[in-house]
């Protein structure tokens, strides 16, 4: 419990530290260096770079995570994130735009390496400790991550309004460093058998993973889980990259009010993620949860902006209102899709829980990071070029297309599972062997 508590708490503080600049950084750049198009492009890259690095680094971390030690990676990664956050607090002293942009992107690259290691190690630790409660684990991770992203922009905008540019970075970076140091002390004192590096350094685990990414990605339904993660991450990526600046320029709101809108979304997201993780642990079908989240997102996106397809004028009340259903949809999708991955792998007898946890963590982090990076770049750029209302209309069209493709794949997969005798929640030995024979082979019309 000590290890699990430290791991879950660290997710909150890392998310808070990484997201603290979202509520004010665009306004600071515009005020200091002007409102040129290239400024918005660089801001988008600054927002997106950590996620892009996570996409590249997460599979590499998972490959050698069990041999390096989950807790070792966790501690080093958390300290790396905290130090880069503090460095960002000194950047307002730079007067040259090229130097400012280059240092900001470089710092966020290093930060992305840290967040990739931190999240992958935490996910593996929790799945190893609670292999039969993966739904609750996914819900807890998404809840703490969402809470951090909720408080980060809101608190960052508040501290920026009343304490200046550097204060948000210094406070959140120092808090993360303190939490990491306390976690390290507790890990040493606890001696739990997730990774006994400090307790028994001569018995350091050198076990290699028994399942590879290639094997996992040969399972067709894993790609549909990835597709759902991509869709689910469009919601926070678009909201966090576009909403604060949109509210300040179009609705003439303060930085604190922009941060408050993200707080409404993220708190709704956290509550939904926790509840959905709990109900899936109690037996609710994870694919039904995904369908519910997908329908809710498709119905809610027209009210964000609002979309140009609706004859509604933008208002502060509508902006706050649209955050609630989008938060519910995000919590459902981003909790159920990782759970679907884990259960799909378990039903096919792929690897033990530790290997599955490491690789699923890497898949989840890399997939979510990819779409988050893209939306963090495209969100500000497209909002500046065509307006947020047209962007929201485009997202509605993407939602309808995604929903149709996913539901067709769900029907085809359900028929295939029924023919093979696979039941979600368990498999007989004969069916498991048959599933492995089919799903572990390369794609071809003969095999499928």
């Amino acid at each position: 419990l000590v290890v699990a508590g430290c791991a879950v708490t660290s997710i909150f503080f890392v998310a808070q530290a990484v997201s603290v600049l979202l509520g004010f950084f665009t306004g600071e750049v515009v005020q200091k260096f002007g409102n040129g198009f290239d400024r918005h492009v660089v801001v988008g890259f600054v927002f997106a770079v950590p996620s892009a690095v996570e996409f590249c680094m997460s599979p590499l971390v998972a490959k050698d995570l069990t041999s390096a030690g989950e807790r070792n990676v966790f501690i080093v990664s958390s300290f790396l994130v905290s130090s880069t956050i503090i460095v960002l607090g000194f950047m307002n002293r730079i007067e040259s735009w090229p130097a400012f942009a280059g240092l900001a992107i470089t710092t966020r690259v290093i930060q992305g390496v840290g967040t990739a290691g931190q999240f992958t190690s935490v996910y593996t630790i929790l799945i190893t400790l609670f292999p039969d409660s993966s739904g609750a684990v996914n819900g807890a991770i998404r809840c703490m991550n969402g809470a951090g992203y909720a408080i980060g922009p809101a608190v960052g905008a508040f501290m920026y309004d009343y304490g200046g540019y550097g204060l948000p970075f210094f406070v959140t970076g120092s808090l993360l460093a303190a939490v990491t140091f306390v976690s390290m002390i507790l890990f040493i004192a606890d001696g739990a058998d997730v990774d006994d590096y400090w307790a028994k350094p001569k018995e350091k685990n050198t076990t290699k993973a028994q399942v590879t990414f290639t094997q996992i990605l040969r399972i067709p339904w894993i790609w549909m889980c990835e597709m759902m993660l991509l869709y689910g991450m469009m919601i926070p990526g678009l909201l966090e990259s576009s909403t604060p600046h949109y509210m300040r320029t179009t609705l003439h709101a303060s930085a604190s009010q922009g941060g408050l809108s993200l707080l409404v979304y993220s708190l709704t997201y956290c509550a939904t993620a926790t509840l959905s993780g709990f109900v899936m642990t109690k037996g609710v079908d994870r694919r039904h949860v995904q369908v519910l989240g997908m329908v809710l997102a498709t119905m809610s996106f027209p009210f964000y902006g609002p979309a140009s397809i609706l004859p509604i004028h933008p208002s502060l009340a509508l902006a706050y209102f649209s955050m609630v259903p989008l938060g519910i949809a995000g919590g459902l999708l981003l909790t159920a899709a990782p759970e679907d991955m884990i259960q799909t792998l378990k039903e096919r007898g792929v690897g033990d829980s530790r290997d599955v946890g490491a690789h699923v963590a890497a898949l989840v982090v890399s997939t979510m990071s990819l779409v988050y990076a893209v939306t963090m770049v495209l969100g500000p750029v497209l909002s500046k070029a065509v307006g947020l209302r047209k962007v929201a209309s485009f997202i509605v069209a993407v939602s309808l297309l995604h929903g149709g493709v996913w539901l067709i794949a769900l029907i085809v997969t359900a028929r295939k599972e029924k023919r093979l005798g696979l039941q979600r929640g368990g498999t007989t030995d004969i069916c498991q062997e048959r599933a492995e024979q089919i799903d572990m082979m390369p794609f071809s019309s003969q095999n499928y």
Side-chain angles (χ1 to χ4, degrees), residues 32-51:
K32 189 177 181 67
F33 298 105
N35 195 27
F37 184 77
D38 63 317
R39 271 50 173 177
H40 287 272
V41 172
V42 170
V43 168
F45 273 105
V46 170
F47 289 167
V49 158
S51 297

Side-chain angles (χ1 to χ4, degrees), residues 47-337:
F47 289 167
V49 158
S51 297
V53 175
E54 287 178 25
F55 170 72
C56 300
M57 289 298 299
S58 296
L60 299 178
V61 172
K63 181 180 179 181
D64 295 314
L65 183 63
T66 54
S67 60
E70 291 92 332
R71 293 191 293 182
N72 302 334
V73 174
F74 165 75
I75 294 296
V76 173
S77 300
S78 298
F79 274 127
L80 192 61
V81 174
S82 65
S83 61
T84 54
I85 291 295
I86 294 174
V87 169
L88 286 172
F90 294 99
M91 290 190 53
N92 64 326
R93 304 181 184 184
I94 301 175
E95 300 297 332
S96 169
W97 167 244
F100 180 92
L103 184 58
I105 292 175
T106 301
T107 306
R108 294 282 277 181
V109 167
I110 300 172
Q111 196 173 107
V113 175
T115 54
Q118 195 268 350
F119 188 89
T120 305
S121 59
V122 166
Y123 199 102
T124 307
I125 288 171
L126 294 177
I127 288 295
T128 303
L129 292 176
F130 307 102
D132 298 325
S133 303
S134 55
V137 168
N138 282 308
I141 290 174
R142 297 267 60 87
C143 175
M144 297 304 290
N145 187 67
Y149 273 101
I151 294 177
V155 171
F158 178 82
M159 288 190 288
Y160 174 79
D161 282 341
Y162 296 98
Y165 174 84
L167 184 63
F169 297 108
F170 299 146
V171 172
T172 55
S174 300
L175 281 174
L176 177 58
V179 169
T180 305
F181 181 77
V182 171
S183 299
M184 183 175 66
I185 299 301
L186 291 175
F187 282 172
I188 295 173
D190 179 69
D193 58 3
V194 173
D195 170 28
D196 293 325
Y197 179 77
W198 286 294
K200 301 175 183 179
K202 294 183 179 179
E203 301 178 8
K204 182 180 176 182
N205 181 15
T206 58
T207 303
K208 293 291 183 179
Q210 298 176 2
V211 61
T212 65
F213 277 105
T214 304
Q215 290 176 311
I216 292 176
L217 293 177
R218 286 175 179 170
I219 301 175
W221 187 255
I222 292 297
W223 288 96
M224 302 311 300
C225 297
E226 295 276 281
M227 185 176 175
M228 188 61 75
L229 285 173
L230 288 170
Y231 176 70
M233 277 305 295
M234 287 174 60
I235 301 175
L238 179 62
L239 297 185
E240 291 168 10
S241 64
S242 305
T243 300
H245 187 63
Y246 163 76
M247 294 186 69
R248 292 180 68 177
T249 55
T250 303
L251 303 179
H252 307 290
S254 66
S256 299
Q257 288 175 314
L260 181 60
S261 67
L262 294 180
L263 183 64
V264 172
Y265 162 79
S266 298
L267 292 179
T268 307
Y269 168 90
C270 293
T272 306
T274 304
L275 180 61
S276 60
F278 175 78
V279 299
M280 283 187 292
T281 302
K282 295 299 181 179
V284 175
D285 195 301
R286 74 260 187 186
R287 293 176 187 171
H288 294 168
V289 175
Q290 292 176 80
V291 171
L292 177 61
M294 187 168 51
V295 171
L296 187 58
T298 304
M299 296 175 61
S300 304
F301 258 120
F303 296 96
Y304 174 66
S308 56
I309 58 177
L310 294 181
I312 304 175
H313 294 290
S315 67
L316 198 61
L318 184 61
Y320 285 130
F321 167 77
S322 63
M323 297 296 164
V324 176
L326 288 174
I328 296 173
L332 293 174
L333 294 174
L334 297 179
T335 303

